[in-house]
Amino acid sequence: MRGSLLIKALITFSLPTAVITSLFLGRYPIPPTQVLEALVAGLAPSLTHSPPDPIVRIVLYYRLPRVLAAAIIGTSLSVSGASLQSMLRNPLVSPYILGIMSGAAFGAALTIAFLPPTVPIELVAMASALAAFALVLMISWGWGRGSVVSLVLSGVIINALFSAALSLAQYLAPNPHKVAAIAFWLMGDVGQASEWGDVLRMVSVVAPCTALLVASRWRLNILSLGDEEAKALGANPVIERVFYAVICGLMTASVVSYAGIIGWVGLLVPHIVRLGVGSDSREVILYTTFLGGAYLVAADDLARCLTTEVLPIGVLTTLMGAPLLIYLLRRAGRVWR
Amino acid sequence: MEVIKSVRLNYTYGGGVEALKDVSIVVGEGKVVAILGPNGAGKTTLLKCLLNILKPKGAVYIYGRDISKLGGRELAKLLGYVPQTYGTVFAYRVLDFVVMGRAPHHSIFSLPSEGEYRRALEVLDMLGIKDLAWRTIAEVSGGQLQLVMIARALIQDAKVLLLDEPTAHLDISNRLRVMRVIKDLVRRGIVDSVVVAMHDPLIAGLFSDEVVLMSRGEVVAYGEPKEVLTPGNLRRVYGIEFVVINYFGKPLVVPKELIEE
């Protein structure tokens, strides 16, 4: 029990620690005192004499929103991943199972390849992601009465369909630069979501959705027992599953359409948390909100600082995540069964 | 008092298989009722209809109230279900798993209280498996798992338990243990009645107060074990010969070919 308390404390503090530490990291070297001064200058200008203007701008308009964006994206993907794994009774599910990934990717590709540059990519990506997700729900509802298998299967079908459309958009793109731009978008980039406006728009969707899932976290256990047991315990599994799927879909679409495809977070973080605190969603969902944010903030730090170029974060999350998960599962052993 | 009453239940699965045909039974207070029959007789279907998991033609009343007019949570406070095996893929801790039985008493946004965890421990203690509380459900044996799921149904505060072949995968001593626990719950008034689907006519004959003998979706015979478990009825249902020995008023049912060379 004591070990688990320590793990819970570590996970809880990982998010604030990661956020604060990251403000001091960046390619442009700023002394820590000036970072603090810039923050104070932004929050309460009367308290301090402002450090030089470019430094304030880097801290307040570049680093802070970018770190917050990473935290929001990481939390969103991880919490929706953990919730979906629970309610679809499948530990292999990620938030992209509902067609959102390829929906957003197709929307972005379409915009980059064919629409005038004035059209915001995230808007079309969001519309396309939600359209794909709506199709998944409709197919699942119409043919399978919202059952777990019908939901997962229609997700697979719609993902395939939109992936094909994405390939077609890339193939038909008028010039190689656009093909390259699409490829870069697909690799994910927190930088695309780092204007204050983006951060606020993302948080306005992600915060209420996360709050709702955290509030429902014990209920997700009941849904994970399977429809018949859930019914015998007084739940309405189909209605509740579709409701939570919509929540997960909205919060995933809202971050993916800004930041592109950032893989593995939604699959990996819930597993790490489960290995630390056990399987009860009551704990898993709660601690996933912290670790998900921290994980992506750390990954984005690497993306920003590892080399002189900004590395694609979608690649980093996978490069970091796959070996980590193999290591953890090897240590846990019995989880493989 | 009539605890459960079913009136002419008919249920047909999607493929056109008639799983229940005009099944009418009454479960009285203080009774352990065994639903007995071969594979495919409709035992599980009947249980699911009584639980409103499947919606049959006909009517089911619990304490005189039509279950189709009861809300899911209301019904779950009256009926506890113990499936054959659990449906989750997650290795929940036994204690957490048992506490999930409190779901009918919670809204979708509430969490179980400390008191409810304490009660779960008490119920596990009562069933003699308190030491399993901190293991995961993947780490307990089949017999223990049945007791864990009975604990989950008990903490539901249900008045009636419906169990689906609780002894199917258990060795003989665990079978007896589970059946003893079930009888004990009724005798001590912890639940009003128990309905248990089972395969084994010997155990059904010795442990239950009433037997519903089913075959191909129909009730073949229904009543006290010694009246229902006759060689003739059993031959009709199972297609083999049985010897039934009267053991102090209880029927000892043995397949004939096992004791005759």
Side-chain angles (χ1 to χ4, degrees), chain A residues 1 82 85-87 89-91 212 214-222 224-229 231-235 240 243-244 274 278-282 334 337, chain B residues 48 51 53 55 72-73 76 79 81 83 85-93 96-97 99-104 106-112 117 136 138-139 152 156:
Chain A
M1 288 307 272
Q85 287 171 5
S86 243
M87 68 193 203
R89 301 166 56 205
N90 187 341
L212 208 132
V214 168
S216 313
R217 61 195 192 276
W218 189 62
R219 189 59 167 197
L220 293 167
N221 277 335
I222 310 298
S224 84
L225 297 175
D227 284 12
E228 286 181 356
E229 281 179 61
K231 253 185 180 169
L233 289 172
E240 289 176 32
F243 171 68
Y244 291 124
R274 270 192 208 100
S279 295
D280 194 344
S281 314
R282 192 182 163 173
R334 63 197 154 87
R337 283 194 289 137
Chain B
K48 287 179 182 170
L51 283 154
I53 290 174
K55 314 257 187 273
R73 276 167 71 181
L79 299 180
Y81 176 45
T85 174
Y86 58 78
T88 185
V89 297
F90 296 104
Y92 294 121
R93 235 171 28 160
D96 298 324
F97 187 71
V99 167
M100 290 178 205
R102 295 298 296 169
H106 285 272
S107 82
I108 63 170
F109 295 127
S110 66
L111 296 175
Y117 281 93
T136 70
E139 293 164 338
R152 195 182 72 188
Q156 216 171 315

Coordinates of all heavy atoms in Angstrom, one line a residue, chain A residues 1 82 85-87 89-91 212 214-222 224-229 231-235 240 243-244 274 278-282 334 337, chain B residues 48 51 53 55 72-73 76 79 81 83 85-93 96-97 99-104 106-112 117 136 138-139 152 156:
Chain A
M1 N 0.8 -1.2 0.0 CA 0.0 0.0 0.0 C 0.9 1.3 0.0 O 0.6 2.2 -0.7 CB -0.9 0.0 1.2 CG -2.0 -1.0 1.2 SD -3.0 -0.9 -0.3 CE -4.3 0.3 0.1
A82 N -8.1 6.1 -21.7 CA -8.4 5.2 -20.5 C -9.9 4.9 -20.4 O -10.3 3.8 -20.2 CB -7.9 5.9 -19.3
Q85 N -10.9 2.5 -23.2 CA -10.5 1.1 -22.9 C -11.4 0.5 -21.9 O -11.8 -0.7 -22.0 CB -9.0 1.2 -22.3 CG -8.0 1.5 -23.3 CD -6.6 1.7 -22.8 OE1 -6.4 1.6 -21.6 NE2 -5.7 2.1 -23.6
S86 N -11.8 1.2 -20.9 CA -12.7 0.7 -19.9 C -14.1 0.3 -20.4 O -14.5 -0.8 -20.3 CB -12.9 1.8 -18.8 OG -12.5 1.3 -17.6
M87 N -14.7 1.3 -21.1 CA -16.1 1.1 -21.5 C -16.2 0.2 -22.7 O -17.2 -0.4 -22.9 CB -16.8 2.4 -21.7 CG -16.3 3.1 -22.9 SD -17.0 4.8 -22.7 CE -16.9 5.2 -24.4
R89 N -14.2 -2.3 -23.0 CA -13.6 -3.6 -22.4 C -12.5 -4.1 -23.2 O -12.4 -5.3 -23.5 CB -14.7 -4.6 -22.3 CG -15.9 -4.2 -21.5 CD -17.1 -5.0 -21.7 NE -16.8 -6.4 -21.4 CZ -17.4 -7.5 -22.0 NH1 -18.4 -7.2 -22.8 NH2 -17.0 -8.7 -21.7
N90 N -11.6 -3.2 -23.6 CA -10.5 -3.6 -24.5 C -9.3 -2.7 -24.2 O -9.3 -1.6 -24.5 CB -11.0 -3.4 -25.9 CG -9.9 -4.0 -26.9 OD1 -8.8 -4.2 -26.6 ND2 -10.4 -4.2 -28.1
P91 N -8.3 -3.3 -23.6 CA -7.1 -2.6 -23.2 C -6.3 -2.1 -24.4 O -5.3 -1.4 -24.3 CB -6.3 -3.5 -22.3 CG -6.8 -4.9 -22.6 CD -8.2 -4.7 -23.1
L212 N -16.0 15.7 -16.6 CA -17.1 14.8 -16.6 C -16.7 13.3 -16.5 O -17.3 12.5 -15.8 CB -17.9 15.0 -18.0 CG -19.3 14.6 -17.9 CD1 -20.2 15.7 -18.5 CD2 -19.6 13.3 -18.6
V214 N -13.8 12.3 -15.2 CA -13.3 12.1 -13.8 C -14.4 11.9 -12.9 O -14.4 11.0 -12.0 CB -12.4 13.2 -13.4 CG1 -12.1 13.2 -11.9 CG2 -11.1 13.2 -14.2
A215 N -15.5 12.7 -13.0 CA -16.6 12.5 -12.1 C -17.3 11.1 -12.3 O -17.8 10.5 -11.4 CB -17.7 13.6 -12.4
S216 N -17.3 10.6 -13.5 CA -17.9 9.3 -13.8 C -17.0 8.1 -13.7 O -17.3 7.0 -14.2 CB -18.5 9.3 -15.3 OG -19.1 10.5 -15.6
R217 N -15.8 8.3 -13.1 CA -14.8 7.3 -13.3 C -15.2 6.0 -12.6 O -14.8 4.9 -13.2 CB -13.4 7.8 -12.7 CG -13.4 8.1 -11.2 CD -12.2 9.0 -11.0 NE -11.9 9.1 -9.6 CZ -12.4 10.1 -8.8 NH1 -13.3 10.9 -9.3 NH2 -12.1 10.2 -7.5
W218 N -15.9 6.0 -11.6 CA -16.3 4.7 -11.0 C -17.3 4.0 -11.8 O -17.4 2.8 -12.0 CB -16.8 4.9 -9.6 CG -17.0 3.6 -8.8 CD1 -16.1 2.7 -8.5 CD2 -18.3 3.1 -8.4 NE1 -16.6 1.7 -7.8 CE2 -18.0 1.9 -7.7 CE3 -19.6 3.5 -8.4 CZ2 -19.0 1.1 -7.2 CZ3 -20.6 2.7 -7.8 CH2 -20.3 1.5 -7.2
R219 N -18.2 4.8 -12.5 CA -19.2 4.2 -13.4 C -18.6 3.5 -14.5 O -19.1 2.5 -15.0 CB -20.1 5.4 -13.9 CG -21.3 4.9 -14.7 CD -22.1 4.1 -13.8 NE -23.5 3.9 -14.3 CZ -24.5 3.5 -13.5 NH1 -24.3 3.3 -12.3 NH2 -25.7 3.3 -14.1
L220 N -17.4 3.9 -15.0 CA -16.8 3.3 -16.1 C -16.4 1.8 -15.8 O -16.3 0.9 -16.6 CB -15.5 4.1 -16.6 CG -15.9 5.4 -17.2 CD1 -14.6 6.3 -17.3 CD2 -16.5 5.3 -18.6
N221 N -16.1 1.6 -14.5 CA -15.9 0.2 -14.0 C -17.1 -0.7 -14.3 O -17.0 -1.8 -14.8 CB -15.8 0.2 -12.5 CG -14.4 0.5 -12.0 OD1 -13.4 0.3 -12.7 ND2 -14.3 1.0 -10.8
I222 N -18.3 -0.1 -14.0 CA -19.5 -0.9 -14.2 C -19.7 -1.3 -15.7 O -20.0 -2.4 -16.0 CB -20.7 -0.1 -13.7 CG1 -20.5 0.4 -12.3 CG2 -22.0 -1.0 -13.7 CD1 -20.2 -0.6 -11.2
S224 N -17.4 -1.7 -17.8 CA -16.3 -2.6 -18.2 C -16.7 -4.0 -17.8 O -16.0 -5.0 -18.2 CB -15.0 -2.2 -17.5 OG -14.9 -2.8 -16.2
L225 N -17.8 -4.2 -17.0 CA -18.1 -5.6 -16.7 C -18.9 -6.3 -17.8 O -19.1 -7.5 -17.7 CB -19.0 -5.6 -15.4 CG -18.4 -5.0 -14.2 CD1 -19.4 -4.9 -13.0 CD2 -17.2 -5.9 -13.7
G226 N -19.2 -5.6 -18.8 CA -20.0 -6.2 -19.9 C -21.5 -5.8 -19.8 O -21.9 -5.5 -18.7
D227 N -22.2 -5.8 -20.9 CA -23.6 -5.2 -20.9 C -24.5 -6.0 -19.9 O -25.3 -5.4 -19.3 CB -24.1 -5.3 -22.3 CG -23.5 -4.1 -23.1 OD1 -22.5 -3.5 -22.7 OD2 -24.0 -3.9 -24.2
E228 N -24.4 -7.3 -19.9 CA -25.4 -8.0 -19.1 C -25.2 -7.8 -17.6 O -26.1 -7.5 -16.9 CB -25.3 -9.5 -19.4 CG -26.0 -9.8 -20.7 CD -26.0 -11.3 -21.1 OE1 -25.4 -12.1 -20.3 OE2 -26.5 -11.6 -22.2
E229 N -23.9 -7.8 -17.2 CA -23.7 -7.6 -15.8 C -24.0 -6.1 -15.4 O -24.5 -5.8 -14.4 CB -22.2 -7.9 -15.4 CG -21.9 -9.3 -15.2 CD -20.5 -9.6 -14.9 OE1 -20.0 -9.1 -13.9 OE2 -19.8 -10.3 -15.8
K231 N -26.2 -4.2 -16.8 CA -27.7 -4.1 -16.7 C -28.2 -4.7 -15.4 O -29.0 -4.1 -14.8 CB -28.3 -4.9 -17.9 CG -28.9 -4.1 -19.0 CD -29.6 -5.1 -19.9 CE -30.2 -4.3 -21.1 NZ -30.6 -5.3 -22.1
A232 N -27.6 -5.8 -15.0 CA -28.1 -6.4 -13.8 C -27.7 -5.6 -12.6 O -28.2 -5.7 -11.5 CB -27.4 -7.8 -13.6
L233 N -26.7 -4.6 -12.8 CA -26.4 -3.7 -11.7 C -27.1 -2.4 -11.9 O -26.7 -1.4 -11.3 CB -24.9 -3.5 -11.7 CG -24.1 -4.7 -11.1 CD1 -22.6 -4.5 -11.3 CD2 -24.4 -4.9 -9.7
G234 N -28.1 -2.4 -12.7 CA -29.0 -1.2 -12.8 C -28.5 -0.2 -13.8 O -29.1 0.9 -13.9
A235 N -27.5 -0.4 -14.6 CA -27.0 0.5 -15.6 C -27.8 0.4 -16.9 O -28.4 -0.6 -17.1 CB -25.5 0.3 -15.8
E240 N -25.3 4.8 -21.9 CA -24.2 5.3 -21.2 C -22.9 5.3 -22.1 O -22.1 6.2 -22.1 CB -23.9 4.6 -19.9 CG -25.0 5.0 -18.9 CD -24.9 4.2 -17.5 OE1 -23.8 3.9 -17.1 OE2 -26.0 3.9 -16.9
F243 N -23.0 7.9 -24.8 CA -22.8 9.2 -24.1 C -21.3 9.4 -23.9 O -20.7 10.5 -24.3 CB -23.6 9.3 -22.8 CG -23.3 10.5 -22.0 CD1 -23.6 11.7 -22.4 CD2 -22.7 10.3 -20.7 CE1 -23.4 12.9 -21.6 CE2 -22.4 11.4 -20.0 CZ -22.7 12.7 -20.4
Y244 N -20.6 8.5 -23.2 CA -19.2 8.7 -22.9 C -18.4 8.6 -24.2 O -17.3 9.3 -24.3 CB -18.7 7.6 -21.9 CG -19.3 7.8 -20.6 CD1 -20.0 6.7 -19.9 CD2 -19.2 9.0 -19.9 CE1 -20.5 6.9 -18.7 CE2 -19.7 9.1 -18.6 CZ -20.4 8.1 -18.0 OH -20.9 8.3 -16.8
R274 N -2.1 2.0 -14.9 CA -2.6 0.7 -14.4 C -1.6 -0.1 -13.7 O -1.8 -0.7 -12.6 CB -3.3 -0.1 -15.5 CG -4.7 0.2 -15.7 CD -5.4 -0.8 -16.6 NE -6.5 -0.1 -17.2 CZ -6.5 0.4 -18.4 NH1 -5.4 0.2 -19.2 NH2 -7.5 1.1 -18.9
G278 N -3.1 -0.1 -10.2 CA -4.1 -1.1 -10.3 C -5.1 -0.7 -11.4 O -5.1 0.3 -12.0
S279 N -6.1 -1.6 -11.5 CA -7.0 -1.5 -12.7 C -8.3 -0.7 -12.4 O -9.0 -0.3 -13.3 CB -7.5 -2.9 -13.2 OG -6.4 -3.6 -13.6
D280 N -8.6 -0.4 -11.2 CA -9.8 0.3 -10.9 C -9.9 1.7 -11.5 O -9.0 2.5 -11.3 CB -10.0 0.5 -9.3 CG -11.4 0.8 -8.9 OD1 -12.2 1.3 -9.8 OD2 -11.7 0.7 -7.7
S281 N -10.9 1.9 -12.4 CA -11.0 3.2 -13.1 C -11.1 4.3 -12.1 O -10.7 5.5 -12.5 CB -12.2 3.2 -14.0 OG -12.4 2.1 -14.7
R282 N -11.5 4.1 -11.0 CA -11.6 5.1 -10.0 C -10.2 5.8 -9.8 O -10.1 7.0 -9.6 CB -12.1 4.5 -8.6 CG -12.4 5.5 -7.6 CD -12.8 4.9 -6.3 NE -12.8 5.9 -5.4 CZ -13.2 5.8 -4.1 NH1 -13.7 4.7 -3.7 NH2 -13.1 6.8 -3.3
R334 N 2.5 -10.6 -15.5 CA 1.2 -11.2 -15.5 C 0.2 -10.5 -16.4 O -0.8 -11.0 -16.9 CB 0.6 -11.4 -14.1 CG 0.4 -10.1 -13.4 CD 0.2 -10.3 -11.9 NE 0.5 -9.1 -11.2 CZ -0.3 -8.2 -10.9 NH1 -1.5 -8.2 -11.3 NH2 0.1 -7.1 -10.2
R337 N -1.0 -12.0 -19.8 CA -2.0 -13.0 -19.9 C -3.3 -12.6 -20.5 O -3.8 -11.5 -20.1 CB -2.3 -13.7 -18.6 CG -1.1 -14.6 -18.2 CD -1.5 -15.5 -17.1 NE -1.6 -14.8 -15.8 CZ -2.6 -15.0 -14.9 NH1 -3.6 -15.8 -15.2 NH2 -2.6 -14.3 -13.8
Chain B
K48 N -32.2 -14.8 -17.6 CA -32.0 -13.4 -18.2 C -33.4 -12.7 -18.4 O -33.5 -11.5 -18.3 CB -31.3 -13.5 -19.5 CG -29.8 -13.8 -19.3 CD -29.0 -13.8 -20.5 CE -27.5 -14.2 -20.2 NZ -26.8 -14.5 -21.5
L51 N -34.5 -11.4 -15.2 CA -33.7 -10.2 -14.8 C -34.0 -9.0 -15.7 O -33.3 -8.0 -15.5 CB -32.2 -10.5 -14.9 CG -31.6 -11.4 -13.8 CD1 -30.3 -12.1 -14.3 CD2 -31.2 -10.5 -12.6
I53 N -33.0 -8.7 -18.6 CA -31.8 -8.5 -19.5 C -32.4 -8.8 -20.9 O -32.1 -8.1 -21.9 CB -30.6 -9.4 -19.2 CG1 -30.0 -8.9 -17.9 CG2 -29.6 -9.4 -20.3 CD1 -28.9 -9.8 -17.3
K55 N -35.9 -9.4 -23.2 CA -37.3 -9.0 -23.0 C -38.2 -10.0 -23.7 O -38.4 -10.0 -24.9 CB -37.6 -7.6 -23.7 CG -36.5 -6.6 -23.3 CD -37.0 -5.6 -22.3 CE -36.1 -4.5 -22.1 NZ -35.0 -4.7 -21.1
G72 N -34.2 0.3 -14.2 CA -33.1 -0.6 -14.0 C -32.5 -0.6 -12.6 O -32.2 -1.7 -12.0
R73 N -32.4 0.5 -12.0 CA -31.8 0.6 -10.7 C -32.7 0.0 -9.6 O -32.3 -0.7 -8.7 CB -31.5 2.1 -10.3 CG -30.1 2.5 -10.8 CD -30.0 4.0 -10.8 NE -29.8 4.4 -9.4 CZ -29.7 5.7 -9.1 NH1 -29.7 6.6 -10.0 NH2 -29.5 6.1 -7.8
A76 N -32.5 -3.7 -9.9 CA -31.2 -4.1 -9.4 C -31.1 -4.1 -7.9 O -30.3 -4.8 -7.2 CB -30.1 -3.3 -10.0
L79 N -33.1 -7.7 -7.4 CA -32.5 -8.9 -7.9 C -31.0 -8.8 -8.1 O -30.5 -7.8 -8.7 CB -33.1 -9.2 -9.3 CG -34.6 -9.4 -9.5 CD1 -35.0 -9.7 -10.9 CD2 -35.1 -10.6 -8.6
Y81 N -27.6 -10.7 -9.6 CA -27.3 -11.7 -10.7 C -25.9 -12.2 -10.5 O -24.9 -11.4 -10.3 CB -27.5 -11.0 -12.0 CG -27.1 -11.9 -13.2 CD1 -27.5 -13.2 -13.3 CD2 -26.3 -11.3 -14.3 CE1 -27.1 -14.0 -14.5 CE2 -26.0 -12.0 -15.4 CZ -26.4 -13.4 -15.5 OH -26.0 -14.1 -16.6
P83 N -23.4 -14.2 -12.6 CA -23.1 -14.9 -13.9 C -22.1 -16.0 -13.7 O -21.5 -16.2 -12.7 CB -22.6 -13.8 -14.8 CG -22.0 -12.8 -13.9 CD -22.8 -12.9 -12.6
T85 N -19.3 -16.6 -15.2 CA -17.9 -16.1 -15.0 C -18.0 -14.6 -15.3 O -18.9 -14.1 -15.9 CB -16.9 -16.8 -15.9 OG1 -15.7 -16.2 -15.8 CG2 -17.4 -16.7 -17.4
Y86 N -17.0 -13.8 -14.9 CA -17.1 -12.4 -15.0 C -16.7 -12.0 -16.5 O -16.0 -12.7 -17.2 CB -16.2 -11.6 -14.1 CG -14.7 -12.0 -14.1 CD1 -13.9 -11.5 -15.1 CD2 -14.2 -12.8 -13.2 CE1 -12.5 -11.8 -15.1 CE2 -12.8 -13.1 -13.2 CZ -12.0 -12.6 -14.2 OH -10.7 -12.9 -14.2
G87 N -17.3 -10.8 -16.9 CA -17.1 -10.4 -18.3 C -16.0 -9.4 -18.5 O -15.9 -8.9 -19.6
T88 N -15.3 -9.0 -17.5 CA -14.3 -7.9 -17.7 C -13.0 -8.5 -18.0 O -12.6 -9.6 -17.8 CB -14.2 -7.1 -16.4 OG1 -13.3 -6.0 -16.7 CG2 -13.7 -7.9 -15.2
V89 N -12.2 -7.6 -18.7 CA -10.8 -8.1 -19.0 C -9.8 -7.4 -18.0 O -8.6 -7.7 -18.1 CB -10.4 -7.6 -20.4 CG1 -11.3 -8.3 -21.4 CG2 -10.5 -6.1 -20.6
F90 N -10.3 -6.6 -17.2 CA -9.3 -5.9 -16.3 C -9.2 -6.6 -15.0 O -10.2 -7.2 -14.4 CB -9.8 -4.4 -16.0 CG -9.8 -3.6 -17.3 CD1 -11.0 -3.3 -17.9 CD2 -8.7 -3.2 -17.8 CE1 -11.0 -2.6 -19.1 CE2 -8.7 -2.4 -19.0 CZ -9.8 -2.1 -19.6
A91 N -8.0 -6.7 -14.5 CA -7.7 -7.4 -13.2 C -8.0 -6.6 -12.0 O -7.1 -6.1 -11.3 CB -6.2 -7.9 -13.3
Y92 N -9.3 -6.4 -11.7 CA -9.7 -5.6 -10.6 C -9.3 -6.3 -9.3 O -9.3 -7.5 -9.2 CB -11.2 -5.4 -10.6 CG -11.6 -4.5 -11.7 CD1 -12.6 -5.0 -12.6 CD2 -11.2 -3.2 -11.9 CE1 -13.0 -4.2 -13.7 CE2 -11.6 -2.4 -12.9 CZ -12.5 -2.9 -13.8 OH -13.0 -2.1 -14.8
R93 N -9.0 -5.5 -8.3 CA -8.8 -6.1 -6.9 C -10.2 -6.7 -6.5 O -11.2 -6.0 -6.8 CB -8.4 -5.0 -6.0 CG -7.2 -5.2 -5.2 CD -6.7 -4.0 -4.5 NE -7.8 -3.1 -4.1 CZ -7.7 -2.2 -3.1 NH1 -6.6 -2.1 -2.5 NH2 -8.7 -1.4 -2.9
D96 N -12.4 -4.1 -4.7 CA -13.0 -3.1 -5.7 C -14.1 -3.7 -6.5 O -15.1 -3.1 -6.8 CB -11.9 -2.6 -6.6 CG -10.8 -1.8 -5.9 OD1 -11.1 -1.2 -4.9 OD2 -9.7 -1.9 -6.3
F97 N -13.9 -5.0 -6.9 CA -14.8 -5.7 -7.7 C -16.1 -5.9 -7.0 O -17.2 -5.8 -7.5 CB -14.2 -7.1 -8.1 CG -15.0 -7.9 -9.1 CD1 -15.1 -7.4 -10.4 CD2 -15.6 -9.0 -8.7 CE1 -15.9 -8.2 -11.3 CE2 -16.3 -9.8 -9.6 CZ -16.5 -9.4 -10.9
V99 N -17.3 -4.1 -4.4 CA -17.9 -2.8 -4.2 C -18.7 -2.4 -5.4 O -19.7 -1.7 -5.3 CB -16.9 -1.8 -3.8 CG1 -17.4 -0.4 -3.9 CG2 -16.3 -2.0 -2.4
M100 N -18.4 -2.9 -6.6 CA -19.1 -2.5 -7.8 C -20.6 -3.0 -7.7 O -21.5 -2.5 -8.3 CB -18.5 -3.1 -9.0 CG -17.2 -2.5 -9.4 SD -16.4 -3.3 -10.8 CE -14.7 -2.9 -10.5
G101 N -20.9 -3.9 -6.8 CA -22.3 -4.3 -6.5 C -23.1 -3.2 -5.9 O -24.3 -3.3 -6.0
R102 N -22.5 -2.2 -5.5 CA -23.2 -1.0 -4.9 C -23.8 -0.1 -6.0 O -24.5 0.9 -5.7 CB -22.4 -0.2 -4.0 CG -22.0 -1.0 -2.7 CD -23.2 -1.4 -1.9 NE -23.9 -0.2 -1.3 CZ -25.1 -0.4 -0.8 NH1 -25.7 -1.5 -0.7 NH2 -25.7 0.7 -0.3
A103 N -23.5 -0.4 -7.3 CA -23.8 0.5 -8.4 C -25.3 0.9 -8.4 O -25.6 2.1 -8.6 CB -23.5 -0.1 -9.7
P104 N -26.3 0.0 -8.1 CA -27.7 0.5 -8.1 C -28.0 1.6 -7.1 O -29.0 2.2 -7.2 CB -28.5 -0.8 -7.8 CG -27.5 -1.9 -7.8 CD -26.1 -1.4 -7.9
H106 N -26.1 4.1 -6.6 CA -25.3 5.3 -6.9 C -25.8 5.9 -8.2 O -26.2 5.2 -9.1 CB -23.8 5.0 -7.0 CG -23.1 4.8 -5.7 ND1 -22.5 5.8 -5.0 CD2 -22.9 3.6 -5.0 CE1 -22.0 5.3 -3.9 NE2 -22.2 4.0 -3.9
S107 N -25.6 7.3 -8.3 CA -25.8 7.9 -9.6 C -24.5 7.7 -10.5 O -23.5 7.2 -9.9 CB -26.0 9.4 -9.5 OG -24.8 10.1 -9.3
I108 N -24.5 8.1 -11.7 CA -23.4 7.8 -12.5 C -22.2 8.7 -12.1 O -21.0 8.5 -12.5 CB -23.6 8.0 -14.1 CG1 -24.0 9.4 -14.4 CG2 -24.7 7.1 -14.6 CD1 -24.0 9.7 -15.9
F109 N -22.4 9.7 -11.3 CA -21.3 10.6 -10.9 C -20.8 10.4 -9.5 O -20.0 11.1 -9.0 CB -21.7 12.1 -11.0 CG -22.0 12.5 -12.5 CD1 -23.2 13.1 -12.8 CD2 -21.1 12.2 -13.5 CE1 -23.5 13.5 -14.1 CE2 -21.3 12.6 -14.8 CZ -22.5 13.2 -15.1
S110 N -21.4 9.4 -8.8 CA -20.9 9.3 -7.4 C -19.9 8.1 -7.2 O -19.8 7.2 -8.0 CB -22.1 9.1 -6.5 OG -22.8 7.9 -6.7
L111 N -19.2 8.2 -6.1 CA -18.2 7.2 -5.8 C -18.6 6.5 -4.5 O -19.3 7.0 -3.7 CB -16.9 7.9 -5.4 CG -16.2 8.7 -6.5 CD1 -15.0 9.5 -6.0 CD2 -15.8 7.8 -7.7
P112 N -18.2 5.2 -4.4 CA -18.6 4.4 -3.2 C -17.9 5.0 -2.0 O -16.8 5.6 -2.1 CB -18.1 3.0 -3.5 CG -17.0 3.2 -4.6 CD -17.4 4.4 -5.4
Y117 N -16.9 0.2 1.3 CA -15.7 -0.7 1.3 C -15.7 -1.6 2.5 O -15.4 -2.8 2.4 CB -14.5 0.1 1.1 CG -14.2 0.6 -0.3 CD1 -14.7 1.8 -0.7 CD2 -13.6 -0.2 -1.2 CE1 -14.5 2.3 -2.0 CE2 -13.4 0.2 -2.5 CZ -13.8 1.5 -2.9 OH -13.7 1.9 -4.2
T136 N -6.1 -9.8 -7.0 CA -6.9 -9.4 -8.2 C -7.8 -10.6 -8.5 O -7.5 -11.7 -8.2 CB -6.1 -9.0 -9.4 OG1 -5.4 -10.2 -9.9 CG2 -5.0 -8.0 -9.0
A138 N -8.0 -12.0 -11.2 CA -7.3 -12.9 -12.1 C -6.5 -13.9 -11.3 O -6.1 -14.9 -11.8 CB -6.4 -12.1 -13.0
E139 N -6.4 -13.6 -10.0 CA -5.5 -14.5 -9.2 C -6.3 -15.4 -8.3 O -5.6 -16.1 -7.4 CB -4.6 -13.6 -8.3 CG -3.5 -12.8 -9.1 CD -2.9 -11.7 -8.3 OE1 -3.5 -11.2 -7.3 OE2 -1.8 -11.3 -8.7
R152 N -20.5 -9.9 -4.4 CA -20.9 -8.7 -5.2 C -22.4 -8.5 -5.2 O -23.0 -7.5 -5.1 CB -20.3 -8.7 -6.6 CG -20.4 -7.4 -7.3 CD -19.9 -7.4 -8.7 NE -20.8 -8.1 -9.6 CZ -20.5 -8.5 -10.8 NH1 -19.3 -8.2 -11.3 NH2 -21.4 -9.1 -11.5
Q156 N -25.2 -5.7 -3.1 CA -26.2 -5.0 -3.9 C -27.5 -4.8 -3.0 O -28.3 -4.0 -3.3 CB -26.6 -5.9 -5.1 CG -26.9 -5.2 -6.3 CD -27.0 -6.2 -7.5 OE1 -26.2 -7.1 -7.6 NE2 -28.0 -6.1 -8.3

